[in-house]
Amino acid sequence: MRRVVITGAGTLNPLGHDVRATYAAMQAGRCAIDRLSCRDVDRLMVQIGAEIRDFDPLLHFGRGQLGLLDRFTQIALVSARQAMGQAGLEVDEALSLRAGVVLGTAGGGNTTVDDNYRTVFEDGKNRVHPLVVPRLMHNAATSHVSMEFGLKGPGLTISTACASANHAMGHALMLIRAGLADVMLTGGSEAMLCFGGLKAWEGLRVMARDTCRPFSRDRSGMVQGEGGAVFVFEEYDHARARGAEILAEVAGFGMSADAGDIVAPEPDGPVRAMRAALADAGLTPAALGYVNAHGTGTAANDRIEAEALGRVLGAGLADLPVSSTKSMHGHLIGGTSAVELLACLMALREGVIAPTVNFTQADPACPVDAVPNAAREARVDVAMSNAFAFGGLNAVLVLRRV
Amino acid sequence: MGLDMAYDTDDIAGAVTEIIAEQALVDPSEVSPGSTLAELGLDSLGLVECIFGIEERFGITVPFNANTPDQPEFDISSVGAIISEVEKLVARQAA
């Protein structure tokens, strides 16, 4: 079977504007959750979130191009440029036909939708900007990344709520394995920290008003964030032949559907997805050195995820670090598992496990070593990243040191 | 008008009962103050919809977070408890 490795990584998220800054923030246990700055924030019941601060789009895009780019697309493009820069790929005519893009997003151009609904409904205008549709469409980020780098192979967007990026990266893996491409840019992005995007989540009554405390007994819900990450996935021999630096192997992918409740999680689906990912990687649970949990900080998710991990790991769970970096960067919805894969890469490459911050008290219902509050040094050879979406759609990736 | 109207306690009990019954897909006569939401077959999503219905009906904001099992700010242990919490919120709103 064709093997797939990561040869580039890039990100724009609340913890940092690149991978280096994100690692530094994760190692310092910095929490980027703060008061939101969006328009009409005073009409929100929940006024906290993790925003990308100090990002000036005009430093990255020309004024003409920017008119086409919703914030979720800007995030994907900035991340993709970093990843391609690190990978050092020369996209010639032959490679352009063997390279593609698959990105995840849950809300697509949510901010564009919000702004233009405001224009027609609140401001009473009868005309919107002519390019609203190409800005808001879910595949906008994928298309702009393919255009920027001339990637003419497979191109698609995957939208599975909070598991979108993991599903996208899993499909990039499968496309390369299947021989449909040699290189795939993949990951995900999200930007829905606008009034409508926040108000919709508020309605579910699962948002925390203090901060995000995954696995902590006093957790009170999730906190939204914005951002994303993009990786260069490359066929192993292709990467070796050009002497590329290999960051890790994408060893396994597993997915499942709960086929149960539209919002309430249950352990069976996550258990099957984790087992499938490990089996795909040809590994046993004992090989795991770190798990980046879905860990949203809701009462239900963390309890169910701990139970699912217990079923997969058995007694081995007690000695396995399981952290949720959502405590630092917030829940980036469709882009979250892309940024969380960075925590897995950091564990494999830097030997540092990102902590779960804001953790005050162990919860007997969540018997995991959540790496509370402080990063930890450890040699990690295999890391797993969980994503369990609303709608019961689960996606799990396993990375291995090469 | 809706928000200025003074509700007497029978109105509130009746309206809350109706909202819960509608979500539970039962006749209001089957909902008594002693009923629990679990007995009525309401899950967390049904509860969130009930809270929304109550807020819309009375023009109030209910302090409810689905992550806090014991709901210290809003007792949901029975239909009667919910009615009494809504009465308090409506009275506070009118004051």
Side-chain angles (χ1 to χ4, degrees), chain A residues 204-205 209, chain B residues 44 47-48 51 62-66 68 71 74 76:
Chain A
L204 278 164
R205 311 281 177 148
R209 297 192 195 193
Chain B
S44 62
L47 171 59
V48 167
I51 301 276
V62 174
F64 173 81
N65 178 337
T68 323
Q71 293 299 329
F74 190 81
I76 53 163

Side-chain angles (χ1 to χ4, degrees), chain A residues 17-208:
Chain A
H17 293 196
D18 58 28
V19 172
R20 186 52 45 199
T22 302
Y23 283 179
M26 285 180 174
Q27 293 182 13
R30 186 165 74 76
C31 177
I33 294 166
D34 204 345
R35 204 182 138 77
L36 288 163
S37 66
C38 76
R39 189 172 166 183
D40 290 336
V41 68
D42 54 311
R43 286 179 54 210
L44 294 169
M45 307 281 289
V46 177
Q47 302 187 346
I48 56 168
E51 296 177 333
I52 297 167
R53 293 284 164 91
D54 305 320
F55 172 68
D56 181 358
L58 284 168
L59 295 178
H60 301 267
F61 307 103
R63 208 168 277 280
Q65 188 189 13
L66 203 51
L68 281 163
L69 309 179
D70 183 273
R71 193 169 169 87
F72 94 104
T73 302
Q74 297 171 30
I75 292 165
L77 276 169
V78 168
S79 302
R81 287 173 181 173
Q82 295 169 15
M84 282 296 273
Q86 180 175 28
L89 273 169
E90 293 292 328
V91 183
D92 58 15
E93 186 61 30
L95 180 59
S96 75
L97 300 173
R98 298 283 304 159
V101 186
V102 50
L103 296 175
T105 186
N110 205 267
T111 309
T112 297
V113 174
D114 200 58
D115 286 346
N116 286 281
Y117 278 176
R118 203 186 274 279
T119 299
V120 293
F121 294 142
E122 183 177 323
D123 302 340
K125 292 187 180 167
N126 279 330
R127 187 183 299 121
V128 297
H129 191 274
L131 298 175
V132 169
V133 168
R135 260 181 84 112
L136 67 77
M137 59 193 193
H138 274 53
N139 56 314
T142 295
S143 298
H144 281 286
V145 170
S146 75
M147 287 153 58
E148 174 138 346
F149 301 104
L151 310 177
K152 300 177 179 175
L156 70 158
T157 293
I158 292 185
S159 191
T160 49
C162 311
S164 300
N166 257 11
H167 272 117
M169 295 187 287
H171 282 74
L173 168 71
M174 295 192 295
L175 285 166
I176 296 174
R177 279 182 179 169
L180 274 72
D182 296 323
V183 170
M184 291 296 296
L185 264 66
T186 186
S189 66
E190 200 73 76
M192 57 163 91
L193 298 184
C194 52
F195 184 77
L198 291 156
K199 193 47 110 175
W201 279 97
E202 191 181 289
L204 278 164
R205 311 281 177 148
V206 295
M207 311 301 287

Side-chain angles (χ1 to χ4, degrees), chain A residues 4-6 23 26-27 231 245-252 283 287-292 320-321 340-354 376-385 397-402:
Chain A
V4 177
V5 293
I6 301 176
Y23 283 179
M26 285 180 174
Q27 293 182 13
F231 302 88
E245 184 186 9
I246 291 171
L247 305 181
E249 178 176 8
V250 189
L283 296 167
L288 290 171
Y290 169 60
V291 174
N292 185 286
L320 179 65
E340 289 161 27
L341 201 69
L342 288 172
C344 293
L345 271 183
M346 184 174 86
L348 294 172
R349 294 190 55 80
E350 314 236 321
V352 180
I353 294 176
R376 188 185 299 167
E377 289 189 9
R379 183 187 161 88
V380 175
D381 294 316
V382 177
M384 181 167 79
S385 184
L397 280 171
V398 173
L399 295 188
R400 176 167 48 199
R401 177 200 295 275
V402 175

